[in-house]
Amino acid sequence: MKEENREQLIVRHTYKKSNELINAMGKGTALSQKLFAIGMQNITVDDTNNVVATIYGTELRKMFKSSSGSLYEHIEALCDKQIKGATIFDWNLLMKDKENGKIEVHQVVTDASFKNGTLTLRYNNSLTDKIVNLQKDYTVLSLADTLSLKSVYSLRLYEMLKSAYDYRKAITKQSGEQVCDYNLIDLKFELGIINSGGDNKIKTELEKKHPDYAKLEELVEKTGQTKYKEYKIFNRNVLAKAKEELNKKTSLIVDYDPIKSGRKTVGIRFYVDKKDVNGKEVEKEVKINKDEVLDDLIELMHSTFKIKEIREIAEAASYDFEKIRKAYEYMQNYSNDVDVPIAFMKECIKNEYYNSKSKPLKAKNKFNNFEQKTDYDFEELEKQLLDN
């Protein structure tokens, strides 16, 4: 059998993962998740009840499609506890014990070594029953899907949404699109964006059957964890990018809407479906949240238009944010003064002037004061390795 065909057979493998592990709160790297998936192809349980995964260097190179020596150097660094930064030992999970309702913290990998081109991982023996001999409450995941994803947030959402999709499908007894709701704070905990930070008050609140999420938000902020605090930034740098990567690279079709209380986003509603056997997306109606689009447009154009005018422009463009953004940028760079901005915008959108090959000349007028936002803050962990 040709080597290329053998590689394809390896990547087509699936692996089981406990739903308890999938939905646990905690932080890990994309590489930790990928090594777990690969390691499940060759595992044993030692005499101390630890799951031991063995991964050969040749397999690593095939899985990551790497031919450079830096792959081995990177793996060695991840196994070195002395190195500061994200190592494989930094994968920790917060899990609620079903019997006593208490939150327990587990270091997932307790020992790791990379010798003679072979990676050996030993997992915490308190997690053994959640890794091997799974008979129920597990999800079957695609090794190819897992290895295709670069972002740790995309990878975590792939596992969570695949698990939620399978569960909802079993409950509803219906195929097709399934709806899965997440509280926004819960989602950030599960993605590892925020954590307890060792704060007992946060831990105590999480242990409750119905946590007070407003209180949790306040407690988390006090620990200094403000990354992606604003929904717009979280949406742009995490959700939107993960959605694009999942739809492009995996067997899932994902869409989402914000769940709001007044004007505040308090949760996310995911719509999850599976592609057909040929990997093609099933055609479906595009969902547009008009309030969300209007909020973005007000932020974009408030210096030029009144809210009433922005709504009128949005209606004219059927709330297509990208069309409006392009038209607005076209108007800002227009070579002549614009007498009636709202009429100009409508005509520009209707006739798609912004697609003209001859770009308008930049002129100094009242329409070129808009300053494009540049506060992008998105991490691609292990970029050197995972960008292959």
Side-chain angles (χ1 to χ4, degrees), residues 283-341:
E283 288 188 15
K284 62 178 185 177
E285 183 182 353
V286 177
K287 299 177 179 64
I288 297 177
N289 187 299
K290 293 184 179 181
D291 290 337
E292 186 72 18
V293 173
L294 192 62
D295 285 346
D296 289 340
L297 290 175
I298 290 170
E299 183 177 329
L300 175 66
M301 305 191 299
H302 67 88
S303 61
T304 308
F305 296 101
K306 297 177 181 178
I307 293 179
K308 181 181 178 181
E309 293 174 324
I310 294 174
R311 190 186 299 276
E312 191 175 334
I313 292 169
E315 291 286 349
S318 299
Y319 285 84
D320 188 321
F321 179 83
E322 280 304 302
K323 282 186 178 180
I324 299 168
R325 180 187 64 78
K326 289 176 182 178
Y328 186 61
E329 289 180 356
Y330 184 91
M331 185 181 74
Q332 286 181 296
N333 293 295
Y334 197 63
S335 57
N336 299 316
D337 289 338
V338 177
D339 294 327
V340 187

Side-chain angles (χ1 to χ4, degrees), residues 72-84:
Y72 284 175
E73 293 175 11
H74 203 79
I75 297 295
E76 285 179 345
L78 285 169
C79 295
D80 190 346
K81 291 182 179 180
Q82 304 302 316
I83 294 179
K84 293 182 179 180

